[in-house]
Amino acid sequence: MKKAFITGISGQDGSYLSEFLLQKGYEVHGMIRRSSLETRTRIDHLYQDPHVSGRRFFLYYGDMTDSSCIFQLLNKIQPNEIYNLAAQSHVRISFENPEYTANVDAMGTIRLLEAIRTLRLDKTTKFYQASTSELFGRAKKMPQNEKTPFCPRSPYAAAKIYSYWITVNYREAYNIFATNGILFNHESPRRGDSFVTKKIVQNVADIYYNKANTLYLGNLDVSRDWGYAPDYVESMWKILQYEKPEDFVIATGETNTVRDFVEKAFKYVNIEIEWQGKGIDEIGIDKKTGKIIVKIDPWYFRPTEVDILVGDASKAKKLIGWEPKVKYEELIKIMMEDALKTRRL
Ligand code: NAP
Ligand code: G4F
């Protein structure tokens, strides 16, 4: 039975990846952080009591900032595959907490790679690094592929670029099967509440149920290549099954603005938006009732923004046979259906 070790197992991707690997027959080991409330809702359904025999899902307390615990865990588990998904993953918040973001998102990766190297797991353990389309930042080329130069635009992206290159370096220097998945934005009902897609669908549902009046947003004109998280975790596994360690862009190839996402989410509940005004004074009005339902809050602007991202995943299609199944409009439907169900209560 293959053993996988997942950092960030309690996050959006960690939870879907755990389900995927358990279904493939893996033993799944994951690192969680201690917190005063035991709120691990994304993986509660996978939890198995330690006293049950034959279990295949194991959780351990640890932190990406604590190298001794990372060494001890890898020594104990001796995994065949490591998926490094743990991160302070919010770009806006990385401007508030740049040093912490670097400690987790950059230094955390070298802690794992050094553990692989010094524990001599290099022959037996494959390593996946959760790299990101944020590396492309202010990209000069559309769409972005594995050869597009990086131009990071946030402390988050700067930390992730270190992790990208140290992964490449450990592959070249020590022959470790170390790979990067350069994933474009991927969303789902399990997305964190403060990311823009989840925030939009939850607020649209609340406005529809008369539980809220206004959705406050930042920049409406940025574009993202939004895919569906369960499709994307499959690519992580496929990257590690490929005959040699390489880096892959994973994306849908379609880009849409935040404004378009807002319009389509409201349309799902038969609300048509009319935009009026410009810049921070722009408002979105419910055409039928005349009520203001969208406003701009400059707090959500970023000191430096990534205006547009769109990925070219043709290498992944050709070499590992990966293609997205869920496209943009269906993604909105999945997320709206979930928000309408969960926010009704
Ligand atoms: P997420 O939902 O924010 O999950 C992040 C995970 O990292 C959570 O389990 C979190 O634990 C854990 N974590 C944070 N700080 C930690 C620390 N100091 N020590 C140990 N664990 C820590 O992120 P996601 O959307 O699943 O993304 C997974 C990975 O892919 C991240 O590295 C992200 O940067 C990257 N990525 C995401 C996307 C995307 O669109 N989703 C695209 C490209 C790359 P808690 O539950 O305790 O907070
Ligand atoms: O949903 P977002 O916060 O995601 P962002 O910044 O693209 O980052 C996500 O995707 C990356 C992959 O490219 C991951 F690496 C990263 O970990 C994370 O998962 O924001 C998307 C866009 C931004 O341009 C932002 O300025 O939406 C814009 N936006 C407009 N109003 C907003 C808001 N973003 C948020 N979070 N909240 C708003 O109110």
Side-chain angles (χ1 to χ4, degrees), residues 81-240:
E81 295 172 9
I82 297 174
Y83 296 86
N84 182 28
L85 310 185
Q88 188 304 91
S89 70
H90 202 285
V91 175
R92 175 71 184 83
I93 291 167
S94 77
F95 288 97
E96 312 284 321
N97 298 312
E99 185 182 334
Y100 176 72
T101 302
N103 196 359
V104 178
D105 299 12
M107 296 303 291
T109 308
I110 190 67
R111 291 180 185 113
L112 278 169
L113 287 165
E114 267 298 277
I116 294 174
R117 189 179 73 81
T118 55
L119 292 169
R120 303 201 182 289
L121 298 175
D122 48 313
K123 299 281 176 294
T124 49
T125 305
K126 296 178 177 181
F127 178 78
Y128 172 90
Q129 169 57 22
S131 284
T132 162
S133 51
E134 280 288 306
L135 299 180
F136 297 119
R138 189 188 264 167
K140 298 213 168 55
K141 197 181 146 266
M142 302 289 156
Q144 295 90 44
N145 65 21
E146 294 79 2
K147 296 197 172 94
T148 307
F150 297 143
C151 183
R153 296 272 286 165
S154 63
Y156 168 79
K160 283 281 188 176
I161 215 165
Y162 173 82
S163 285
Y164 172 91
W165 283 118
I166 203 68
T167 299
V168 172
N169 180 249
Y170 271 53
R171 174 166 83 217
E172 292 173 351
Y174 306 116
N175 228 3
I176 294 174
F177 196 110
T179 64
N180 285 285
I182 308 172
L183 272 53
F184 283 61
N185 296 50
H186 44 280
E187 319 293 313
S188 73
R190 295 187 197 168
R191 188 56 142 151
D193 293 345
S194 64
F195 294 93
V196 78
T197 55
K198 183 73 180 292
K199 181 176 163 181
I200 293 168
V201 296
Q202 287 194 336
N203 276 275
V204 169
D206 286 352
I207 291 168
Y208 177 69
Y209 290 132
N210 285 318
K211 287 180 167 182
N213 298 317
T214 319
L215 162 62
Y216 289 93
L217 288 169
N219 193 334
L220 297 174
D221 293 315
V222 288
S223 287
R224 288 290 182 277
D225 179 333
W226 280 297
Y228 184 45
D231 287 351
Y232 283 47
V233 299
E234 187 176 359
S235 77
M236 298 174 184
W237 177 78
K238 285 187 164 217
I239 288 170
L240 287 193

